[in-house]
Amino acid sequence: MSELQSYLSSARDDLRTEPRPVRIVIIAIAVIFLVVFVVLPLVVVFAQAFSKGIGAYLSALSDPEAWSAIRLTLLVAAISVSLNLVFGVIAAWAIAKFEFRGKTFLISLIDLPFSVSPVISGLVFVLLFGGQGYWGPWLQAHNIQVLFAVPGIALATIFVTFPFVARALIPLMQEQGTLEEEAAISLGASGLQTFFRVTLPNIKWGVLYGVLLCNARAMGEFGAVSVVSGHIRGETNTMPLLVEILYNEYQFVSSFAIASLLAMLALITLVAKTILEQHLDEGQQPRGD
Amino acid sequence: MIEVKNIVKKFGAFAALDGVDLKVADGELLALLGPSGSGKTTLLRIIAGLDWPDTGEVSFDGENALAHAASERHVGFVFQHYALFRHMTVFENVAFGLRVQPRAVRKDEAGIRARVKELLDLVQLDWLSNRYPSQLSGGQRQRIALARALAIEPRILLLDEPFGALDAKVRKELRQWLRSLHHEIHVTSIFVTHDQEEALEVANRVVVMDKGRIEQIGTPGEVYDNPATAFVHGFIGESIVLPVEVYDGCVRLGGKQLNILADGVSPGLSKLFVRRHDMQVGPAGSGSLDGAVRHVRTFGPIQRAEVALSAGDGETVIEIDAPRDRELQTGDIVGLQPRRYRIFAAQE
Amino acid sequence: MSAAGGRRSTLPGFGLTMGLTLTWLSIIILIPLAGLFLRTFELSLDQFWGIVTSRRTLNALKISFGLAFAAAVVNLVMGLIVVWALVRYRFPGRRIFDAIVDVPFALPTAVAGVALTSLFAQTGWLGAPLAELGIKVAFTPIGIFIAMIFIGIPFVVRTVQPVLIDLDAEIEEAAASLGANRWHTVSKVILPSLIPALLTGFALAFARAVGEYGSVIFIAGNLPNVSEIAPLLIVIRLSEFRYADATAIAVVMLVAAFLIIFAVNRIQRWAQTRIPAH
């Protein structure tokens, strides 16, 4: 029986694949391409960071300027991820659980930041809050600092990471439908009880997935933050900005040391993402029979 | 008593419900029967508060139900695909309705446990309480969904196609089980089905629906034996339908006058409805539906014969069920006489 | 906007959540973008045209759009090869290669920028051998092109991958049973059904590369008219406090980005009518 099956499946595989030389060439091209464009850049970051030994690496990371950049990056990520988390879940509830006109349009608006150049994402806040901006003079008169300070950096980061949570949740919640929520309501649950006891447990992996991607982008954002930060040393430099400054000052070890932390963040994000994707696939069990 | 008055519900231009009136007495087990798109599920959802009518009234014991959201109606709803909470155990699914009650009336943990145990015993699935819904069979899920709905001590139990997603054998078992359960707990129950056998076998009363309207309300015997409309006759039981003309109380098929009466039927083109087993087989002659037997299959106590009628265009072929007291042969010329029949105007 | 299908819907919270969504969307996205367009309207048409058609701006736009297009074409071809290998073949490390396709999404652009520069600089691991062949990559337009390829890798792969996985085996078997050889099956049966996904991935990679900043500026050289991309010119104009110039260039790029999104939506709608979803 199993022999027959393996015979049949190999026959089917033969039918659906290319001759061996073609396969080898295609695999070779794909692997070389990925190695040159993805693996080598990753390796080079760590190679450069450790090029003067582990001592130089550690002292680069213990520099006060590095610490201030790490703290600022964590702060900005915490602010933007938590706000986008709350609003992403709210938006996904409104969009996925109800039918209304203009839904597609609303989703495109939420997606907008994905297609705006990061530089423009920063520019729009300069135009609002900068010295020549719409509200700049008023803010100056009241001594409120938005641009070249944490609020401006946070705003630009929220802008570029706006879609992540909502985009992770909308398809998931649409696929889950509203039946379980209707069942909860018919059993006497209030709206909040329904959300926290029924909806949230069902979308928890999706929420984590959105937060993960949102966080990776928030910590790594460069263009938008670069425009609004003002590059004040020890104050408004996030980690990616510090990478740039140190690189331009030819402090390669220090620059790549910070870069290696960000690269590590990216790798951890990818591993976690792969694990979460497995959870999400398992969560999509067939309904009914 | 549940009372539904003149409910209209439109989805765009499509009228899902087009003026529906219905009264359900306490303790009844009522079936809403109809083809898909007849509005039966929409009616059920409106009673539950999961949908809202465009116009009309719904009252429970004289109290306006439309003033209350679904969560305030104390209606037990069993969804077609069960809608069990997939991240909760069987126990937690059944306990859900008890746990979300306002603190003032909520049972303590021991009370909840006792009640859930009682319900799981009732549906005979106590041994599954720590399983997750994905680990259950279809029939088990169905019974858990029922236990969950009963946990809130609903004043009405509503079931949407309760057996629709089950295979034929489980379906039969669950039907009997549901009827005896209803006998035991006696809660007013309405279930939706497109399966006439299910409706006739389980319900005390059957509401036949089509195109957003109620065609007939009656006991299973009434709707089967005395269909009120052509639709009901065609939908319930298998019928032979023949185009006939009615003149002065006489019925003609393809010019030949038949030996049946058409009292109270307005003259003109009409349709004659006869059950397969209500065709009596005799010799061909005046007044009968004559034809040649083209094919005979025999199973159990009956023989099913295809008869090509000679009246009319000569191409009408009907299937009849005859007892096996007289064996039919291919080629026999027979005369068919309807024992029981109904005639409805053709416009319907 | 109101929930359709009745005066009330079963689930609560539509009004509240929709209100909060629209408010937050307006504060973060719509008002700032509207501010950008309002700024542009303060310019006269002549002023706007003057900025956009000035030599340096035009060259920056040409460099951004031209190289982004070329990079997207490379990504289209290489993405197809990569996704084919990942989906159809089994080879050692396949799952790891599948996972690292997303590195350009996850790696902060500044890190990618310094890494690519170091790799392709004349003393770099790849830059040195290339320099011996007489090819200079870093600090030339070729460097921009390389960075744009890097940033676009995931788009084609990730849009085509699910389509290729879902492709019905029976279709290929049917083609083979009708006498098609493998080349005909691939070119006449499989590739045509991948075209919408390929085009979508191409457009997304193109849009991303046009607006890309972080991974490009380190390797670009940034010589005006030669290797200066449009986003960098915006930053330069801002640092010179020439807000009007920055705004005008930004508007041109935004409109282009909107056109690309629009094209992607059209492609997807076309794909849906052409190949009904099962």
Side-chain angles (χ1 to χ4, degrees):
Chain A
M1 183 63 199
S2 69
E3 255 173 60
L4 178 67
Q5 268 174 348
S6 72
Y7 168 75
L8 283 177
S9 70
S10 76
R12 175 177 254 217
D13 285 347
D14 282 350
L15 192 68
R16 291 189 67 204
T17 196
E18 288 71 44
R20 194 177 157 81
V22 178
R23 286 209 307 261
I24 290 171
V25 168
I26 289 179
I27 292 173
I29 295 175
V31 167
I32 291 170
F33 178 73
L34 288 178
V35 166
V36 167
F37 277 90
V38 183
V39 177
L40 284 183
L42 270 180
V43 174
V44 102
V45 170
F46 292 96
Q48 292 279 5
F50 289 101
S51 59
K52 299 263 158 58
I54 192 149
Y57 177 79
L58 289 179
S59 79
L61 288 186
S62 49
D63 187 81
E65 216 177 327
W67 271 106
S68 120
I70 293 172
R71 271 200 308 273
L72 180 62
T73 299
L74 293 176
L75 174 67
V76 168
I79 296 171
S80 46
V81 170
S82 50
L83 283 171
N84 276 334
L85 168 64
V86 171
F87 283 92
V89 171
I90 288 174
W93 176 269
I95 290 171
K97 298 291 182 185
F98 300 90
E99 289 308 316
F100 55 90
R101 281 157 54 93
K103 187 187 273 198
T104 330
F105 182 64
L106 183 59
I107 295 176
S108 328
L109 288 182
I110 289 176
D111 272 345
L112 216 49
F114 278 158
S115 38
V116 174
S117 171
V119 167
I120 298 176
S121 311
L123 169 69
V124 292
F125 292 105
V126 174
L127 294 181
L128 289 184
F129 300 116
Q132 300 177 32
Y134 286 104
W135 301 324
W138 186 88
L139 289 170
Q140 254 165 8
H142 291 77
N143 215 1
I144 303 171
Q145 190 75 14
V146 175
L147 225 52
F148 313 134
V150 174
I153 299 174
L155 270 175
T157 308
I158 293 170
F159 183 101
V160 294
T161 56
F162 189 87
F164 284 99
V165 176
R167 286 306 272 160
L169 292 182
I170 290 169
L172 182 66
M173 286 167 75
Q174 275 177 334
E175 194 213 87
Q176 289 179 346
T178 56
L179 273 180
E180 287 186 40
E181 282 80 9
E182 286 183 357
I185 298 274
S186 83
L187 291 166
S190 70
L192 283 178
Q193 282 174 326
T194 303
F195 176 75
F196 282 106
R197 285 166 185 256
V198 175
T199 310
L200 196 54
N202 279 339
I203 60 170
K204 58 175 188 269
W205 297 117
V207 171
L208 260 175
Y209 188 83
V211 164
L212 184 79
L213 298 187
C214 183
N215 178 65
R217 180 72 195 264
M219 289 191 172
E221 179 51 32
F222 176 71
V225 172
S226 167
V227 171
V228 296
S229 111
H231 301 276
I232 306 166
R233 300 198 81 141
E235 282 185 38
T236 62
N237 278 334
T238 60
M239 291 165 72
L241 295 183
L242 191 59
V243 169
E244 181 198 23
I245 289 171
L246 294 170
Y247 188 86
N248 287 340
E249 290 172 351
Y250 303 105
Q251 301 190 41
F252 291 130
V253 170
S254 303
S255 172
F256 277 102
I258 306 283
S260 75
L261 292 184
L262 290 168
M264 230 115 71
L265 168 77
L267 291 176
I268 294 169
T269 301
L270 283 186
V271 171
K273 176 171 167 282
T274 312
I275 295 171
L276 279 179
E277 275 165 358
Q278 276 162 7
H279 273 293
L280 282 167
D281 284 347
E282 280 164 23
Q284 292 170 357
Q285 290 149 351
R287 302 172 140 267
D289 287 35
Chain B
M1 189 176 74
I2 306 161
E3 204 169 353
V4 168
K5 269 193 211 151
N6 197 25
I7 294 281
V8 175
K9 169 78 179 172
K10 290 191 167 125
F11 295 106
F14 173 73
L17 292 174
D18 192 9
V20 167
D21 296 276
L22 181 63
K23 284 182 187 174
V24 187
D26 287 340
E28 259 197 291
L29 178 52
L30 186 86
L32 294 181
L33 172 65
S36 63
S38 59
K40 54 196 192 307
T41 294
T42 305
L43 178 58
L44 200 74
R45 289 174 60 86
I46 285 174
I47 296 172
L50 298 173
D51 259 324
W52 298 83
D54 298 338
T55 58
E57 295 169 28
V58 178
S59 63
F60 298 166
D61 298 325
E63 183 193 345
N64 178 15
L66 294 181
H68 297 287
S71 54
E72 301 157 357
R73 286 195 198 178
H74 291 281
V75 167
F77 198 96
V78 179
F79 291 80
Q80 182 177 3
H81 296 288
Y82 326 124
L84 292 176
F85 305 126
R86 65 190 103 177
H87 64 286
M88 295 183 197
T89 60
V90 162
F91 182 93
E92 286 303 324
N93 262 284
V94 178
F96 183 89
L98 304 171
R99 294 203 192 281
V100 297
Q101 280 179 334
R103 197 156 289 148
V105 296
R106 195 191 304 159
K107 289 183 163 67
D108 61 7
E109 185 61 26
I112 291 176
R113 293 201 157 267
R115 175 78 180 133
V116 173
K117 168 105 176 51
E118 192 184 312
L119 286 158
L120 288 176
D121 283 340
L122 180 72
V123 298
Q124 298 152 2
L125 290 177
D126 188 32
W127 52 288
L128 288 176
S129 65
N130 290 321
R131 299 274 186 90
Y132 284 90
S134 58
Q135 300 167 304
L136 306 182
S137 72
Q140 288 166 343
R141 286 182 209 177
Q142 177 62 281
R143 285 192 273 167
I144 296 303
L146 192 61
R148 181 178 71 176
L150 289 173
I152 58 168
E153 288 170 38
R155 49 168 126 185
I156 332 157
L157 186 60
L158 303 176
L159 306 101
D160 186 8
E161 294 278 3
F163 314 114
L166 302 171
D167 58 45
K169 184 167 170 287
V170 181
R171 198 184 292 196
K172 268 229 141 80
E173 286 168 12
L174 271 186
R175 271 187 214 163
Q176 290 161 2
W177 177 79
L178 179 66
R179 204 173 38 198
S180 57
L181 184 78
H182 179 258
H183 193 71
E184 205 173 316
I185 57 178
H186 229 73
V187 59
T188 311
S189 306
I190 305 176
F191 72 97
V192 156
T193 180
H194 64 274
D195 181 339
Q196 41 159 319
E197 209 183 305
E198 205 163 277
L200 300 180
E201 198 179 300
V202 179
N204 308 130
R205 258 197 329 152
V206 178
V207 177
V208 186
M209 295 185 67
D210 183 44
K211 295 186 184 130
R213 292 177 165 278
I214 291 180
E215 295 277 322
Q216 188 174 7
I217 306 178
T219 65
E222 282 165 0
V223 295
Y224 189 87
D225 293 330
N226 293 307
T229 64
F231 172 80
V232 177
H233 207 306
F235 188 70
I236 295 180
E238 288 188 85
S239 301
I240 298 162
V241 186
L242 292 169
V244 293
E245 283 174 281
V246 176
Y247 286 116
D248 305 333
C250 298
V251 180
R252 289 161 184 273
L253 173 70
K256 178 174 181 181
Q257 188 165 331
L258 299 179
N259 191 16
I260 53 179
L261 300 173
D263 291 336
V265 179
S266 47
L269 290 174
S270 300
K271 280 182 175 163
L272 171 67
F273 283 79
V274 189
R275 302 265 184 231
R276 267 188 199 152
H277 55 83
D278 281 336
M279 279 292 193
Q280 197 164 6
V281 182
S286 69
S288 63
L289 287 154
D290 297 345
V293 176
R294 291 221 315 212
H295 185 76
V296 184
R297 278 174 299 152
T298 307
F299 40 86
I302 62 156
Q303 46 186 342
R304 179 160 298 169
E306 269 178 34
V307 178
L309 297 181
S310 40
D313 51 15
E315 287 183 7
T316 309
V317 178
I318 62 174
E319 275 193 335
I320 60 161
D321 289 345
R324 289 179 64 181
D325 48 4
R326 180 189 152 203
E327 298 283 341
L328 293 171
Q329 303 286 334
T330 303
D332 285 356
I333 303 296
V334 293
L336 303 176
Q337 183 62 49
R339 230 173 287 153
R340 299 161 55 101
Y341 54 88
R342 293 289 300 253
I343 298 170
F344 296 102
Q347 288 88 321
E348 273 191 85
Chain C
M1 288 187 233
S2 69
R7 9 170 225 153
R8 293 163 70 173
S9 56
T10 320
L11 299 185
F14 179 75
L16 181 69
T17 54
M18 184 53 83
L20 283 170
T21 303
L22 293 179
T23 309
W24 183 239
L25 183 76
S26 305
I27 293 174
I28 297 298
I29 310 287
L30 300 183
I31 292 174
L33 282 181
L36 177 71
F37 282 96
L38 279 181
R39 267 289 161 127
T40 327
F41 291 133
E42 288 169 12
L43 296 171
S44 74
L45 201 61
D46 283 345
Q47 281 172 314
F48 181 82
W49 194 245
I51 294 167
V52 172
T53 56
S54 77
R55 181 160 167 263
R56 190 169 169 187
T57 312
L58 264 188
N59 279 325
L61 288 171
K62 266 187 211 160
I63 290 164
S64 276
F65 281 89
L67 287 175
F69 189 86
V73 170
V74 171
N75 275 319
L76 182 69
V77 176
M78 295 311 294
L80 180 61
I81 292 174
V82 168
V83 77
W84 193 272
L86 290 177
V87 171
R88 288 306 179 96
Y89 305 146
R90 297 290 169 269
F91 56 94
R94 185 183 63 91
R95 288 174 57 93
I96 292 171
F97 280 110
D98 192 350
I100 63 167
V101 164
D102 282 332
V103 163
F105 275 157
L107 195 67
T109 54
V111 178
V114 295
L116 288 170
T117 311
S118 152
L119 197 59
F120 285 96
Q122 265 174 307
T123 54
W125 296 349
L126 295 174
L130 286 169
E132 285 192 19
L133 296 172
I135 305 169
K136 197 167 174 292
V137 176
F139 317 122
T140 71
I142 303 175
I144 303 176
F145 176 60
I146 296 282
M148 285 176 167
I149 292 174
F150 168 83
I151 204 69
I153 290 171
F155 291 97
V156 172
V157 176
R158 291 298 182 231
T159 47
V160 176
Q161 199 169 25
V163 183
L164 189 58
I165 289 174
D166 280 350
L167 210 63
D168 198 347
E170 283 183 9
I171 294 177
E172 283 169 63
E173 290 172 342
S177 77
L178 292 168
N181 64 26
R182 188 63 196 161
W183 170 245
H184 282 141
T185 305
V186 170
S187 63
K188 294 212 154 82
V189 178
I190 302 178
L191 286 186
S193 42
L194 298 182
I195 283 176
L198 282 168
L199 284 177
T200 303
F202 171 84
L204 292 173
F206 176 55
R208 173 72 200 258
V210 165
E212 184 51 28
Y213 177 69
S215 55
V216 173
I217 53 160
F218 295 93
I219 201 173
N222 304 329
L223 269 176
N225 300 318
V226 178
S227 55
E228 183 180 66
I229 55 169
L232 177 66
L233 189 55
I234 294 177
V235 173
I236 290 171
R237 291 305 186 219
L238 268 182
S239 66
E240 297 166 349
F241 298 104
R242 289 166 68 175
Y243 281 23
D245 292 44
T247 311
I249 304 169
V251 163
V252 172
M253 296 187 62
L254 259 189
V255 169
F258 292 163
L259 288 177
I260 297 172
I261 306 178
F262 183 70
V264 168
N265 285 340
R266 290 303 291 263
I267 293 168
Q268 270 161 357
R269 205 169 298 166
W270 167 67
Q272 267 163 12
T273 53
R274 208 179 64 129
I275 306 160
H278 7 251

